[in-house]
């Protein structure tokens, strides 16, 4: 590569340059979590990037954990996102939807009184995002096997909705202590089941995976991140996913090189 402005093929996506806009939580969708004209303008203004990864977007009412973040589970939300993707495409850009389930790092106030769910009933340390006054995370409810399967289908339906809304692909949020990352602390099976279900809809070559190998967010951790994340990278390579986005600070214990090699 000699320039950021050279084209780049990423899976099935042909980027006109190598500038990628990372997802940024904006909390601009209102109580109904429907993308609006301000959001369409915001993304269209940034469409000169080779690829836009949308702000994290909830797959179901029980997946949210922040105020006024967008969703992608009903027809009104699909229509709102369609206005966004049309604005980006008219400006010559590409955009993928980052799909999100926050798991245990939510609170009943965001879930109409329901208890947050997680792989196990283990309470996270710290405080609920953007809830004031500061409020500690609650004890989550452990998911049943049937509920885990239902969430996999929620991701799949959100992918169908992303297609209907005109997105060029999706990114699965498997980082920062959210639900997929909570499963990754012990095993990769849930991530791979979600990926396989979404691939049936849109193809693995239009899917990216966001990971945070250090487990340094929202009370996460891994006893052997090198083993966990090189295994994940190998399985993603086998499935032909478009890209991995790995968030990791530079340090002597960095494993990004090993992840890249495995992928």
């Amino acid at each position: 590569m000699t320039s950021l402005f050279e084209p780049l093929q990423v899976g099935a996506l042909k980027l006109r340059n190598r500038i990628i806009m990372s997802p940024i939580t904006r909390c601009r969708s209102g109580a109904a979590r429907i993308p609006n004209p301000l959001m369409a303008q915001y993304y269209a203004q940034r469409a000169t990037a080779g690829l836009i990864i949308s702000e994290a977007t909830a797959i179901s009412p029980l997946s949210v954990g922040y105020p006024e973040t967008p969703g992608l589970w009903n027809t009104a939300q699909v229509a709102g996102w369609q206005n966004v993707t049309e604005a980006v495409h008219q400006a010559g850009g590409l955009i993928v939807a980052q799909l999100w389930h926050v798991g245990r790092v939510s609170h009943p106030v965001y879930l109409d009184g329901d208890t947050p769910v997680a792989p196990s009933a283990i309470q996270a340390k710290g405080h609920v995002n953007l809830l004031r006054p500061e409020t500690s995370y609650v004890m989550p409810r452990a998911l049943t096997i049937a509920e885990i399967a239902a969430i996999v289908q929620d991701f799949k339906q959100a992918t169908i909705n992303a297609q209907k809304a005109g997105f060029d692909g999706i990114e699965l949020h498997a980082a920062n202590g959210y639900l997929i990352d909570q499963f990754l602390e012990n095993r990769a099976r849930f991530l791979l089941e979600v990926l396989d279900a979404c691939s049936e809809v849109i193809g693995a070559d239009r899917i990216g995976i966001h990971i945070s190998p250090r487990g340094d967010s929202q009370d996460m951790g891994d006893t052997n991140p090198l083993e966990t994340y090189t295994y994940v990278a190998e399985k993603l390579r086998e499935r032909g996913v478009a890209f991995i986005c790995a968030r990791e600070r530079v340090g002597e214990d960095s494993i990004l090189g090993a992840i890249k090699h495995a992928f």
Side-chain angles (χ1 to χ4, degrees):
M1 183 186 76
T2 58
S3 171
L4 278 173
F5 299 100
E6 291 181 4
L8 178 65
Q9 191 73 35
V10 179
L13 303 174
K14 186 174 182 179
L15 282 56
R16 57 179 171 176
N17 59 56
R18 297 167 184 248
I19 299 169
I20 298 176
M21 177 180 161
S22 61
I24 305 172
T25 298
R26 308 301 296 173
C27 299
R28 291 177 169 176
S29 298
R33 303 185 182 274
I34 299 171
N36 52 49
L38 176 63
M39 293 171 61
Q41 179 184 24
Y42 169 81
Y43 284 109
Q45 289 171 339
R46 291 152 178 83
T48 52
L51 178 66
I52 295 172
I53 303 174
S54 83
E55 62 204 275
T57 301
I59 62 168
S60 69
L62 294 180
S63 70
V64 301
Y66 291 71
E68 301 188 5
T69 49
L72 197 48
W73 67 79
N74 64 40
T75 55
Q77 292 162 348
V78 169
W81 276 120
Q82 190 169 32
N83 292 332
V84 173
T85 62
E86 287 177 354
V88 170
H89 292 154
Q90 288 172 4
L94 297 174
I95 183 169
V96 299
Q98 188 186 68
L99 302 184
W100 196 28
H101 192 308
V102 308
R104 69 176 182 171
V105 291
S106 186
H107 189 274
V109 73
Y110 293 139
L111 304 174
D112 291 329
D114 285 339
T115 301
V117 296
S120 303
I122 300 174
Q123 186 174 1
K125 298 176 183 177
H127 299 98
V128 182
N129 292 295
L130 303 184
L131 188 60
R132 297 294 182 269
E134 282 194 349
T135 303
S136 297
Y137 292 118
V138 301
M139 179 68 73
R141 178 177 61 79
L143 289 161
T144 66
I145 299 299
E147 287 174 323
I148 293 171
I151 292 176
V152 171
Q153 292 306 306
D154 286 341
F155 273 102
K156 183 176 183 177
Q157 183 60 53
T159 305
I160 293 170
N161 292 343
Q163 270 196 324
K164 291 178 180 178
F167 282 101
D168 299 292
I170 65 166
E171 182 185 69
L172 296 175
H173 199 334
N176 300 353
Y178 300 124
L179 184 65
I180 296 178
D181 195 23
Q182 291 160 29
F183 275 95
L184 270 175
E185 188 174 23
N186 189 44
R187 62 182 61 198
R189 178 178 173 181
F190 180 67
L191 166 60
L192 297 177
E193 287 186 356
V194 170
L195 170 60
D196 290 344
C198 296
S199 296
E200 292 175 3
V201 176
I202 204 169
D205 59 356
R206 290 184 178 272
I207 299 177
I209 309 293
H210 184 39
I211 57 174
S212 52
R214 288 186 189 274
D216 55 1
S217 294
Q218 303 188 121
D219 198 27
M220 289 302 299
D222 194 294
T223 56
N224 194 336
L226 178 63
E227 181 181 31
T228 297
Y229 285 95
T230 54
Y231 175 83
V232 167
E234 289 169 1
K235 294 304 178 183
L236 299 184
R237 182 195 69 228
E238 291 171 3
R239 286 163 167 78
V241 303
F243 63 90
I244 294 175
C245 175
R247 184 189 62 77
E248 186 190 62
R249 68 182 184 276
V250 176
E252 293 182 359
D253 57 345
S254 171
I255 62 172
L256 287 186
I259 291 171
K260 184 176 181 180
H261 178 76
F263 185 62

